[in-house]
Amino acid sequence: MHVPVRLGPAEQKLIDQLTAAGAVAEAERLGGAGLPTRRVESYHYTDLKQLLRSVPELAAAATEASAPALRVPGAYQLMIANGAVQETGTAPAGVIVGKAAGSVLTTRDDVVTRLNLALTRECLTLDLDGSVDPVIQIDRRTEGAAGHSTSAAKIFVADDSSAVIVETYSGSEQAHLGNHATYLALGKNARVTHITVNLAAKKATHFASNEYHLAEGAQLRTLIINAGAALSRTQLFPRYEGAGAYADITGLNLVSDGQHADITMDALHAVPHTSSKPLFKSIARGRSKAVVQGRLVVARDAQKTDAKLMSQGLMLSDEAEILTKPELEIYADDVVCGHGSTCGQLDEDSLFYLMSRGIAKADAETMLVRAFLAELIDPIEDEALNEALTAVIEGWLAGS
């Protein structure tokens, strides 16, 4: 017997917004199923029905902008404010900027991506060709009173090209809900560093979905930093579609009192001779929760796949929680795949060693945390970008 789903205020508001936007089928679907609960495997640790209690009105056009939460010196700046692509200045060589209607993600059975597809009206498009210099920064804001905004960016990187792309998420201090999408396609032998930094208000909810397509010989490095929002979930969908494609997929949850941050990856190695090394780290203090879910799927024809997933957690308080769930689905028989997970507190012996040399306990703890994170930050070669990301981490360590 079918039991009707009891809808909460957040679900009802989303249904109303979908209906008003003309996405009637999606509204009916959400009305029938509701938001995912812990019974849905991919949301087992991030039960949206429980965690998403309210949804603000759809954000109106932004009329003012707050101070940038992160500015990368020397970067070419682009902005999406409350879902609308802003006017841009002269683009550097090898960069073509445009707009398109709608969102960009591949349709999949996931409520966050379906909501973005249904509600996003405008998409920033970037076509990159050659060795693009400087760094490209896409500054996504949700401004004004608490609002629900969606946005999208579609980026194509031509064969043999290279670029560094940084996306930042911030806005006013109101309890916004942001749902953002990025589609990034790398041509043959393209090399891209893609970094996203969530600095949304501490009362906000932040959803982001990044879809990557790697052609033959393409090389991708990602770094996802979740430092803002009360509730955040960043979804990564890498697709290895050409022989020799390789990616360093890395992510970092930095959570303090009351925050819940989730990085979820669903990767597909679709062809032979591809490789990846996903590495995720979490640091939690106070009563907070960090989640890392990583799913690696190796297709039947994807022989010689080399994929190793690692998740590491550091708990700085007894009330903190770090939850990790790796999944491997391997349909080929000649692969090297594996996963590992560690979680603990600061090493007491290392702490004692530093303190025995006259270093105050708080400083010694900070030094050990920095060492824990160095593996993610040190590979960022652009000096200004490296310093900007380090400042984000130092700010978190200082309690801001």
Side-chain angles (χ1 to χ4, degrees):
M1 183 178 68
H2 175 70
V3 178
V5 174
R6 179 176 296 178
L7 300 175
E11 292 159 314
Q12 193 58 59
K13 175 67 78 174
L14 288 171
I15 291 169
D16 293 344
Q17 293 177 350
L18 289 166
T19 303
V24 177
E26 190 55 47
E28 292 176 350
R29 181 171 181 163
L30 182 58
L35 288 168
T37 68
R38 60 183 292 113
R39 293 181 179 179
V40 178
E41 192 64 24
S42 58
Y43 284 86
H44 184 73
Y45 298 121
T46 300
D47 184 332
L48 285 190
K49 194 173 184 68
Q50 289 293 323
L51 294 171
L52 188 61
R53 300 295 180 88
S54 63
V55 172
E57 299 292 338
L58 288 172
T63 56
E64 58 185 20
S66 56
L70 176 67
R71 181 75 77 182
V72 180
Y76 171 56
Q77 302 286 336
L78 296 161
M79 181 185 288
I80 304 175
N82 291 7
V85 179
Q86 306 299 294
E87 293 297 323
T88 62
T90 303
V95 179
I96 298 175
V97 183
K99 300 179 185 178
S103 188
V104 291
L105 297 169
T106 300
T107 302
R108 51 175 50 87
D109 186 17
D110 173 74
V111 68
V112 170
T113 57
R114 290 202 310 268
L115 288 169
N116 183 275
L117 284 164
L119 295 173
T120 299
R121 291 288 169 258
E122 188 173 67
C123 170
L124 168 70
T125 64
L126 286 176
D127 290 282
L128 310 181
D129 194 358
S131 298
V132 175
D133 186 32
V135 170
I136 297 172
Q137 182 176 5
I138 304 173
D139 184 358
R140 303 205 204 194
R141 307 279 190 86
T142 306
E143 299 288 4
H148 177 192
S149 73
T150 61
S151 69
K154 190 171 190 176
I155 306 168
F156 283 103
V157 184
D159 295 350
D160 302 307
S161 298
S162 62
V164 178
I165 304 161
V166 181
E167 299 195 64
T168 52
Y169 302 93
S170 62
S172 73
E173 292 300 312
Q174 300 302 311
H176 297 295
L177 168 61
N179 187 338
H180 311 283
T182 298
Y183 180 104
L184 175 54
L186 283 68
K188 290 182 179 179
N189 302 314
R191 301 180 307 282
V192 173
T193 297
H194 182 233
I195 296 169
T196 68
V197 187
N198 161 27
L199 296 171
K202 290 296 175 61
K203 295 184 292 186
T205 298
H206 170 80
F207 297 135
S209 301
N210 299 346
E211 183 172 332
Y212 302 108
H213 294 263
L214 281 72
E216 179 181 340
Q219 296 187 35
L220 172 68
R221 172 182 294 281
T222 77
L223 175 57
I224 312 302
I225 298 179
N226 272 333
L231 167 64
S232 70
R233 178 177 167 97
T234 300
Q235 306 186 126
L236 308 175
F237 303 112
R239 298 290 182 265
Y240 304 86
E241 298 168 342
Y246 170 79
D248 274 326
I249 304 287
T250 67
L252 171 62
N253 286 318
L254 295 173
V255 288
S256 300
D257 291 300
Q259 286 183 287
H260 179 121
D262 176 340
I263 297 176
T264 291
M265 182 191 73
D266 186 351
L268 172 63
H269 289 262
V271 300
H273 297 284
T274 62
S275 53
S276 65
K277 289 199 301 184
L279 171 62
F280 302 104
K281 298 200 177 195
S282 300
I283 304 181
R285 66 187 176 199
R287 188 178 295 276
S288 60
K289 182 179 290 186
V291 177
V292 171
Q293 298 181 107
R295 180 169 177 254
L296 286 170
V297 178
V298 179
R300 187 177 303 279
D301 295 332
Q303 305 293 346
K304 305 295 183 183
T305 294
D306 186 346
K308 298 178 183 64
L309 168 67
M310 173 59 76
S311 176
Q312 298 173 333
L314 185 57
M315 293 188 294
L316 302 182
S317 70
D318 293 337
E319 298 83 13
E321 288 185 76
I322 297 177
L323 305 166
T324 300
K325 183 164 69 68
E327 297 176 71
L328 294 177
E329 291 187 24
I330 301 173
Y331 300 98
D333 56 13
D334 185 9
V335 301
V336 179
C337 296
H339 63 78
S341 178
T342 63
C343 191
Q345 299 176 324
L346 289 173
D347 182 71
E348 290 293 336
D349 291 339
S350 299
L351 196 60
F352 175 78
Y353 174 83
L354 293 172
M355 293 172 64
S356 69
R357 274 138 182 87
I359 299 173
K361 183 179 180 181
D363 294 336
E365 290 174 343
T366 300
M367 290 174 67
L368 293 177
V369 172
R370 286 176 181 148
F372 177 70
L373 298 177
E375 193 174 5
L376 300 181
I377 301 301
D378 287 355
I380 306 301
E381 296 176 351
D382 185 278
E383 186 175 348
L385 176 56
N386 190 305
E387 290 178 358
L389 299 177
T390 299
V392 171
I393 292 171
E394 294 292 338
W396 186 84
L397 290 173
S400 61

